[in-house]
């Protein structure tokens, strides 16, 4: 698949590797979310066990609090005011917002892959593609996901920013804001459902993949100038500025296979390097893309 960096044709990649990048990013955030501690407070009105000690001075109240909190599936926070400080909530909501933003980036990329023709949309029975243009299949799953992810982030960002503050030992701002936790999570879940369903309605279009690569042989300029540099180091070439040579040949216009082969044949480099470059095509210039996918685990 042709890469686009800054929206311009760049070193080829594979679609599988690009999808693996997204899966890797999401997986890292998910692991942080899974490792998040859920803290609980059980220490009296201002977190000091004052009334507890008066009522039962013989008891180890810290142990009681630790065991009781653990029985609820929480980690006891030993240092609190009238409330548990909510720092763990801010961490969790920030991580979920981070997950949302990675997924949002994926949705916009998929939208552009559809626009380029990399993905074909599979017509769904009974679906209306457009109110007036029957030929259209709009990528609404990904557009709806974008909107829900933005709303989720707005709510979760607000919660993460405000829940960590409380005047002195207690105020009630958190009482109102925490009523929106479910709303923030809900928008994220709606987005996930849209992405899941949207991906199920896509098919890869190999014709577009091949056409884009065949139309951009100039992306091999990177490989050629890098080989020239290696030949210079090895003492088999005296070309002064490999980058400038390739820039003059390729910048701002397309170059075909025949032109590149002729250019390579005229280079002052070793025969083995020439042979290697003659065999190179945009389809094969993907480095270790396929192998890197295996690192996803």
């Amino acid at each position: 698949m042709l890469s686009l960096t800054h929206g311009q044709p760049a070193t080829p990649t594979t679609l599988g590797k690009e999808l693996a990048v997204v899966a890797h990013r999401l997986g890292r955030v998910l692991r942080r979310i899974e490792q998040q501690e859920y803290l609980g407070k059980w220490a009296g009105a201002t977190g000091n066990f004052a009334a507890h000690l008066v009522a039962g001075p013989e008891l180890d109240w810290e142990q009681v609090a630790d065991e009781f909190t653990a029985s609820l599936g929480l980690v006891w926070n030993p240092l609190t005011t009238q409330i548990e400080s909510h720092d763990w909530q801010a961490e969790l909501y920030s991580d979920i917002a981070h997950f949302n933003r990675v997924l949002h980036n994926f949705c916009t990329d998929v939208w552009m892959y559809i626009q380029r023709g990399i993905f074909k949309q599979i017509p769904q029975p009974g679906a209306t593609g457009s109110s007036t243009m029957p030929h259209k299949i709009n990528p609404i799953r990904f557009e709806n996901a974008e909107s829900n992810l933005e709303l989720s982030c707005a709510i979760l960002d607000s919660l993460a920013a405000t829940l960590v503050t409380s005047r002195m030992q207690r105020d009630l701002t958190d009482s109102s804001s925490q009523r929106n936790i479910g709303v923030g999570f809900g928008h994220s879940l709606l987005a996930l459902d849209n992405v899941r369903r949207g991906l199920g309605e896509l098919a890869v279009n190999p014709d577009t993949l091949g056409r884009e690569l065949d139309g951009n042989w100039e992306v091999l300029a990177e490989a050629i100038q890098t080989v020239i540099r290696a030949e210079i180091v090895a003492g088999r070439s005296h070309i002064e500025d490999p980058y400038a040579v390739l820039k003059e040949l390729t910048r701002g216009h397309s170059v075909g296979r025949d032109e590149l082969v002729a250019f390579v044949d005229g280079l002052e480099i070793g025969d083995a390097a020439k042979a290697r470059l003659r065999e190179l095509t945009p389809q094969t210039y993907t480095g270790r893309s396929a192998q890197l996918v295996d690192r996803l685990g």
Side-chain angles (χ1 to χ4, degrees), residues 26 52 84 103 112 125 129 137 200 204 217 258 275 278 288:
L26 293 173
H52 300 70
E84 200 287 318
L103 192 61
M112 287 186 283
I137 304 176
V204 178
W217 279 74
D258 292 343
R278 287 193 203 98
R288 293 187 58 81

Side-chain angles (χ1 to χ4, degrees), residues 165-226:
T165 64
S166 182
R167 292 175 184 85
M168 299 299 174
Q169 281 69 46
R170 175 64 164 145
D171 69 44
L172 282 172
T173 53
D174 63 340
S175 178
S176 296
S177 59
Q178 288 187 104
R179 298 171 192 270
N180 294 282
I181 294 171
V183 180
F185 284 4
H187 281 295
S188 187
L189 286 172
L190 283 171
L192 283 166
D193 182 60
N194 270 292
V195 172
R196 179 186 61 81
R197 294 165 69 183
L199 289 174
E201 298 169 2
L202 297 180
V204 178
N205 187 350
D207 292 339
T208 299
L209 296 174
R211 184 170 58 252
E212 285 192 345
L213 290 168
D214 287 338
N216 288 278
W217 279 74
E218 65 273 11
V219 297
L220 299 181
E222 176 196 43
I224 297 170
Q225 61 106 0
T226 304

Side-chain angles (χ1 to χ4, degrees), residues 227-228 230-231 234 236 264-265 267-280:
V227 169
I228 294 173
E231 292 292 285
R236 290 188 289 267
V264 168
D265 285 341
L267 287 174
E268 181 200 351
I269 58 176
D271 291 340
K274 285 185 179 181
R276 196 161 64 249
L277 289 175
R278 287 193 203 98
E279 295 298 318
L280 197 60

Side-chain angles (χ1 to χ4, degrees), residues 68-89:
F68 176 71
T69 307
S71 74
L72 300 175
L74 304 173
V75 176
W76 179 52
N77 186 344
L79 292 168
T80 63
T81 59
Q82 185 173 333
I83 63 168
E84 200 287 318
S85 301
H86 304 330
D87 291 326
W88 72 267
Q89 290 192 54

Side-chain angles (χ1 to χ4, degrees), residues 115-166:
Q115 183 187 44
R116 283 170 60 186
I118 298 294
F119 284 127
K120 296 184 291 187
Q121 296 183 93
I122 302 170
Q124 301 301 302
T128 300
S130 168
S131 58
T132 60
M133 292 172 279
H135 68 283
K136 291 181 64 181
I137 304 176
N138 294 330
I140 58 173
R141 298 293 183 201
F142 300 99
E143 293 172 345
N144 286 342
E146 287 181 42
S147 177
N148 278 289
L149 291 167
E150 290 161 9
L151 288 168
S152 178
C153 285
I155 294 168
L156 296 177
D157 286 346
S158 178
L159 289 169
T162 60
L163 286 178
V164 294
T165 64
S166 182

Side-chain angles (χ1 to χ4, degrees), residues 94-114:
S94 293
D95 278 341
I96 294 175
H98 184 177
F99 180 94
N100 287 345
R101 290 188 171 95
V102 175
L103 192 61
H104 189 283
N105 186 190
F106 176 62
C107 289
T108 57
D109 278 359
V110 171
W111 192 97
M112 287 186 283
Y113 285 144
I114 293 170

